[in-house]
Amino acid sequence: MPQESSHRVVLIVDENSNPFEMSCAIEVFGLRRPELGRELYDFRLCADTPATRMRDGFFTLSGVAGLEAAEEADTLIVPNRPDTDTPRSPRVLDAVRRAHARGTRLIGFCSGAFTLAEAGLLDGRRAACHWMWAQSFRDRFPEVRLEPDVLFVDDGDILTASGSASALDLGLHVVRRDHGAEIANHVSRRLVFAAHRDGGQRQFVERPVPAVADVSLAPVLAWAQERIGEPLTVADLAARARVSPATLHRRFRSQLGTTPLAWLTAERVTLARRLIERGEERLDVVAARSGLGTAANLRARLRRETGLSPSAYRRRFSGVAGEALRA
């Protein structure tokens, strides 16, 4: 029998909530994963009313738990909806405030940042929201440190995602934080979704349609991922793409919202994390195989990414993921 998770994730659905973000939460936190031999989370939906009309009246949600389920959450996902000017239910806001007071981790997808701000929990803190509502958010909540052009913000016990698709990015980030890179990579494969888009990447790039279609980065990315442990440089990537480093930089910025060097580093840190999780204890071997070069660089990059030293990361994540995925 699968091992039941003790970490309960609860999503509050409010009047006119977006079905997409609800589905993202279910996909990431709610699906059973028998191939792992254990469940990652105990997931529940709840609502303030017995029947909740979803966005634009597409359907009505019923048969879910009452709002009291939020009292049992270890992680609470707050409601989002497109009509950001309409105040949230006072009962929902009270439930969110009580959850925060008892130490529950809070997550807001897309306009969920408005819910958190209305509850008074974001003053003086970093947050992300959809670019369409950035100015409205600033006007209403000037004390919040809005980061308007990123995919998501991890501010410790409160995390916010900018838009619909970035709900998946943030969800996978949470899985990676809770269970390690190997498990998060497995979940992303089940989703057929990119395993890791850093929260600091831009939400979108507005650019004119080119006279000649731009060349996709996919071939050079696939080539580099197969050789990520080699001493690849940005110049190597540019040579493979048959463009100048400056042109490659522009393409990375326009297509991925990041730089070639940042992408290389992120891929290498992810590989290093997976190697540690699989049981490799020699830091020099992990550093060499992941392309990070030295144990000192590995320590610095891992601590920057996870807040943990390699030994602490190993104690937290080593063994379980590898055994589950090999079973």
Side-chain angles (χ1 to χ4, degrees):
M1 292 292 291
Q3 176 185 343
E4 294 298 326
S5 170
S6 60
H7 188 104
R8 172 162 289 186
V9 178
V10 177
L11 167 65
I12 301 177
V13 182
D14 201 7
E15 186 75 12
N16 212 28
S17 283
N18 275 330
F20 182 84
E21 283 84 349
M22 179 180 71
S23 300
C24 288
I26 293 170
E27 284 282 344
V28 174
F29 301 112
L31 294 190
R32 290 195 170 276
R33 305 187 187 279
E35 67 277 13
L36 296 180
R38 62 191 176 97
E39 299 304 323
L40 302 183
Y41 301 98
D42 175 7
F43 179 80
R44 299 188 74 183
L45 291 169
C46 76
D48 186 30
T49 56
T52 304
R53 182 177 179 271
M54 301 298 289
R55 179 177 180 175
D56 295 332
F58 287 135
F59 61 90
T60 298
L61 182 71
S62 60
V64 301
L67 199 56
E68 65 275 3
E71 305 294 332
E72 303 172 2
D74 300 299
T75 294
L76 184 66
I77 305 175
V78 306
N80 70 86
R81 62 181 182 216
D83 54 332
T84 57
D85 292 332
T86 302
R88 265 53 173 180
S89 159
R91 290 183 296 274
V92 168
L93 294 178
D94 286 343
V96 173
R97 293 185 189 103
R98 289 195 301 273
H100 183 257
R102 64 177 177 269
T104 298
R105 179 171 61 186
L106 302 178
I107 294 176
F109 291 151
C110 196
S111 58
F114 283 81
T115 303
L116 294 165
E118 282 184 46
L121 303 179
L122 288 181
D123 286 358
R125 301 189 64 153
R126 299 164 53 235
C129 78
H130 196 285
W131 59 269
M132 287 180 62
W133 297 310
Q135 191 56 54
S136 171
F137 188 93
R138 284 196 190 96
D139 293 342
R140 291 178 59 186
F141 309 110
E143 299 303 315
V144 181
R145 295 162 53 197
L146 182 67
E147 298 188 10
D149 197 27
V150 299
L151 292 178
F152 62 83
V153 166
D154 180 343
D155 200 41
D157 60 338
I158 300 181
L159 301 91
T160 47
S162 60
S164 295
S166 59
L168 287 174
D169 292 301
L170 179 53
L172 288 171
H173 171 78
V174 170
V175 174
R176 190 178 303 109
R177 198 171 103 168
D178 292 346
H179 297 283
E182 188 79 353
I183 292 293
N185 190 65
H186 171 79
V187 174
S188 73
R189 288 200 304 271
R190 280 275 301 268
L191 289 166
V192 195
F193 189 75
H196 185 209
R197 290 200 300 170
D198 185 80
Q201 290 187 31
R202 296 176 66 185
Q203 291 184 29
F204 80 110
V205 179
E206 192 167 9
R207 55 179 174 159
V209 176
V212 178
D214 203 357
V215 178
S216 170
L217 286 172
V220 73
L221 297 182
W223 176 84
Q225 285 171 329
E226 292 176 357
R227 297 162 177 79
I228 205 68
E230 299 176 12
L232 293 176
T233 65
V234 173
D236 294 329
L237 298 184
R240 178 68 183 182
R242 298 183 179 179
V243 297
S244 69
T247 297
L248 185 73
H249 190 279
R250 286 195 298 272
R251 289 184 181 173
F252 264 78
R253 277 295 187 189
S254 66
Q255 295 183 35
L256 298 181
T258 188
T259 67
L261 182 58
W263 180 86
L264 271 174
T265 301
E267 290 291 315
R268 286 168 169 160
V269 171
T270 297
L271 176 56
R273 293 172 68 170
R274 296 177 68 186
L275 290 170
I276 293 171
E277 291 169 26
R278 290 175 179 177
E280 179 56 68
E281 297 185 359
R282 298 164 295 177
L283 293 190
D284 55 340
V285 172
V286 173
R289 289 182 60 187
S290 64
L292 290 173
T294 66
N297 190 38
L298 167 62
R299 289 189 188 93
R301 295 292 181 181
L302 191 65
R303 185 174 290 279
R304 180 178 178 181
E305 177 77 16
T306 69
L308 300 172
S309 67
S311 58
Y313 190 86
R314 183 183 300 112
R315 285 193 298 271
R316 181 169 177 180
F317 295 117
S318 182
V320 176
E323 290 172 8
L325 293 171
R326 285 193 295 270

